[in-house]
Amino acid sequence: MKTVRSDWANTLLVCKKCSKKIGGGFGPKGKTGLAKALRAELDVAKGRKGSLGIIEVKCLGVCPKGAVTVVKGAAPGEWLLVREGLPIAAVAAELGLGLGAAPDKGIPRD
């Protein structure tokens, strides 16, 4: 068996179906998907040579209204529901990605 090296320090799984349902919902005009907005905000390159892996998956099965489901690889037991329109800096801070912004109360932890 062979292995392939990756420079990822962490992995985020973002539900593509949730992003599509809300029509993006992030970024300056509110039309950018969460995965793309996070990559732009954190200046993360696509592929295995980036510092962080942000992967869009088909469906995580939660399907919240007006929100996107995100799973952090380091904490797979805690799924986040990121509501539409939440500032990307707040999302990154809540995920512990170190942008220095205070987490917003809009991410439910139920």
Side-chain angles (χ1 to χ4, degrees):
M1 206 183 297
K2 288 187 174 185
T3 61
V4 177
R5 186 182 58 81
S6 170
D7 293 338
W8 294 355
N10 204 341
T11 307
L12 295 179
L13 304 178
V14 179
C15 183
K16 190 173 190 175
K17 185 176 178 181
C18 292
S19 290
K20 186 177 179 181
K21 278 179 141 180
I22 62 173
F26 299 93
K29 294 184 179 180
K31 295 184 178 183
T32 307
L34 180 59
K36 188 173 182 178
L38 277 170
R39 278 190 203 103
E41 180 75 22
L42 299 171
D43 197 27
V44 175
K46 279 188 176 182
R48 62 186 181 90
K49 294 188 179 184
S51 60
L52 171 70
I54 300 175
I55 303 169
E56 286 189 294
V57 295
K58 288 189 178 202
C59 183
L60 292 169
V62 178
C63 303
K65 286 188 178 184
V68 177
T69 307
V70 178
V71 179
K72 187 175 177 183
E78 184 177 324
W79 294 19
L80 297 173
L81 304 178
V82 181
R83 68 180 159 88
E84 180 180 9
L86 194 64
I88 294 299
V91 175
E94 182 69 29
L95 290 168
L97 302 177
L99 284 182
D104 187 65
K105 303 281 186 214
I107 300 177
R109 295 192 163 273
D110 298 321

